[in-house]
Amino acid sequence: MINLELPKKLRASANQAHQVAAEIFRPVSRKYDLAEHEYPVELDTMAAMVEGLADSGTQDISGATGGRKAGSGAAAGDDHATELLGNSNGGNMSALLNALETCWGDVGLMLSIPYQGLGNAAIAAVATDEQLERFGKVWAAMAITEPSFGSDSAAVSTTAVLDGDEWVLNGTKIFVTAGSRATHIVVWASVDRSKGRAAIKSFVVPQDAPGLTVSRLEHKLGIKASDTAELRLEDCRIPADNILGSPEVNVEKGFAGVMQTFDNTRPLVAAMAIGVGRAALEELRTVLEQAGVEISYDTPANNQHAAAAEFLRLEADWEAAYLLSLRAAWMADNKKPNSLQASMAKAKAGRMGTDVTLKAVELAGPLGYSEHTLLEKWSRDSKILDIFEGTQQIQQLIVARRVLELTSAELK
């Protein structure tokens, strides 16, 4: 028998996250959508709550950091559905479910929760034990994208040069989520441009480091509660031991260390899209029922109202994305390579999120297009979830390489 019921310990954490989404995020969602770049003061309460949960050993409710290290749980047996939620660690799974619930409330606010930035996932994935002691409680943003490239993370042109006991960083990073609010930035930079992607390393840069400046904040289509910054590093100096992982350049290994971060964060971004999608489906169901449209699971879709048939299609698509994401997180928790599954989850959920939210606006008619509901906002928020952490096209390329067993040089 396949049992996909959540374990009790995961349900408790997810329920806490849902309460936060319903009682803190939803009531102010429209407020901060209309007040871009204004700091959500309500999140100060969240910061204290998250810190208290972390200190008590309870999983945080934001879902941004995942487990201590990627795949730190015990190895599991065969990969099949009966084991899907039966892992011994559960950090990635819990983070995924919490991200889903909080984004059911508001994606932008979830991305703004203090001390739970995407850079924290990078620290958790590749930091040494000593670095975890120093950076375990910082608020870390992630800075990868540059003006000259988007999803091709191997094209990093920001440089890091070792000068005595300090690294000197130079470059520009754009579209940095929480870039102006976070206390630290995880910056991707090359330690030797002549050695290509193998020389790309990640560095923890304090917000007050000399040479680091926030040059501007972006105006965006959605997730307006979240600040998105452009950062400039001009002879920015940080301690030599702020490089995550080993400073040695291993040409054969490539930059698998820094890329490991994506195997953990892509399922989380998928979960964000799943959370927004579920919110839109719930609102759409209410709108359709109020309009007298009955949705039946016992009657063939082609014998139902066209809107009901479309709702069933959207809901099935949502379910597929949800299960793919659960599988990717389970694999991370059980030390199974999940690069393929992480990209599958991200690709499916990203496309599902935009499809579901836009169709919800369409089926709700003028009500969906107005600000009387949050449907139009969710349709704007969902688009970024199909873009950041690797676009839809990049995810499909990764999936194709894994399935066909081709290298990046063989399939571009």
Side-chain angles (χ1 to χ4, degrees), residues 67-73 89 92 123-129 132 260 264 332:
R68 145 57 183 111
K69 276 199 173 186
S72 58
N89 175 2
N92 286 281
I123 293 172
V126 297
T128 64
D129 289 338
L132 282 172
Q260 182 183 9
N264 300 319

Side-chain angles (χ1 to χ4, degrees), residues 271-349:
M272 296 179 199
I274 293 164
V276 180
R278 194 183 78 188
L281 285 172
E282 290 175 359
E283 184 68 26
L284 178 59
R285 179 188 287 274
T286 299
V287 171
L288 292 179
E289 288 177 347
Q290 290 175 346
V293 176
E294 181 181 350
I295 301 169
S296 172
Y297 294 96
D298 299 320
T299 305
N302 59 350
N303 289 338
Q304 296 188 55
H305 190 288
E310 186 68 356
F311 181 91
L312 292 173
R313 180 189 72 81
L314 296 173
E315 194 173 56
D317 214 32
W318 180 92
E319 188 76 21
Y322 174 63
L323 293 176
L324 280 171
S325 300
L326 287 184
R327 184 186 184 195
W330 176 87
M331 293 178 73
D333 278 334
N334 289 277
K335 297 188 73 171
K336 289 178 175 287
N338 73 333
S339 179
L340 169 63
Q341 289 75 17
S343 285
M344 288 172 64
K346 170 67 168 63
K348 179 65 175 179

Side-chain angles (χ1 to χ4, degrees), residues 62-343:
S62 69
T65 58
R68 145 57 183 111
K69 276 199 173 186
S72 58
D78 295 335
D79 179 13
H80 49 72
T82 56
E83 296 180 50
L84 185 60
L85 299 179
N87 60 77
S88 58
N89 175 2
N92 286 281
M93 183 73 75
S94 184
L96 183 144
L97 293 170
N98 296 339
L100 189 161
E101 294 295 347
T102 47
C103 288
W104 173 89
D106 189 279
V107 179
L109 291 172
M110 179 271 184
L111 291 171
S112 301
I113 298 176
Y115 306 103
Q116 301 297 318
L118 289 173
N120 292 91
I123 293 172
V126 297
T128 64
D129 289 338
E130 183 276 330
Q131 288 172 331
L132 282 172
E133 285 294 319
R134 286 192 290 135
F135 303 130
K137 291 187 178 181
V138 305
W139 181 2
M142 180 90 85
I144 301 174
T145 306
E146 298 178 2
S148 60
F149 78 90
S151 292
D152 183 11
S153 50
V156 168
S157 62
T158 296
T159 59
V161 177
L162 190 60
D163 181 19
D165 59 355
E166 292 182 319
W167 288 101
V168 182
L169 280 68
N170 281 280
T172 299
K173 296 293 184 178
I174 59 175
F175 303 129
V176 181
T177 300
S180 67
R181 297 174 184 167
T183 62
H184 292 68
I185 315 292
V186 174
V187 176
W188 282 28
S190 174
V191 297
D192 188 343
R193 295 290 303 280
S194 68
K195 294 184 178 178
R197 62 174 60 197
I200 297 173
K201 303 290 182 178
S202 49
F203 300 81
V204 180
V205 181
Q207 186 71 258
D208 58 359
L212 174 64
T213 57
V214 177
S215 52
R216 69 172 180 179
L217 295 178
E218 299 289 347
H219 293 279
K220 308 183 298 296
L221 173 71
I223 59 167
K224 294 190 174 186
S226 170
D227 66 312
T228 304
E230 176 181 293
L231 304 178
R232 290 183 183 172
L233 300 113
E234 299 172 307
D235 293 330
C236 177
R237 291 182 172 270
I238 60 173
D241 56 0
N242 276 29
I243 183 172
L244 292 177
S246 170
E248 299 299 321
V249 176
N250 187 329
V251 177
E252 292 185 2
K253 183 179 179 182
F255 68 145
V258 290
M259 286 300 291
Q260 182 183 9
T261 301
F262 285 136
D263 295 341
N264 300 319
T265 58
R266 280 171 176 161
L268 294 183
V269 175
M272 296 179 199
I274 293 164
V276 180
R278 194 183 78 188
L281 285 172
E282 290 175 359
E283 184 68 26
L284 178 59
R285 179 188 287 274
T286 299
V287 171
L288 292 179
E289 288 177 347
Q290 290 175 346
V293 176
E294 181 181 350
I295 301 169
S296 172
Y297 294 96
D298 299 320
T299 305
N302 59 350
N303 289 338
Q304 296 188 55
H305 190 288
E310 186 68 356
F311 181 91
L312 292 173
R313 180 189 72 81
L314 296 173
E315 194 173 56
D317 214 32
W318 180 92
E319 188 76 21
Y322 174 63
L323 293 176
L324 280 171
S325 300
L326 287 184
R327 184 186 184 195
W330 176 87
M331 293 178 73
D333 278 334
N334 289 277
K335 297 188 73 171
K336 289 178 175 287
N338 73 333
S339 179
L340 169 63
Q341 289 75 17
S343 285

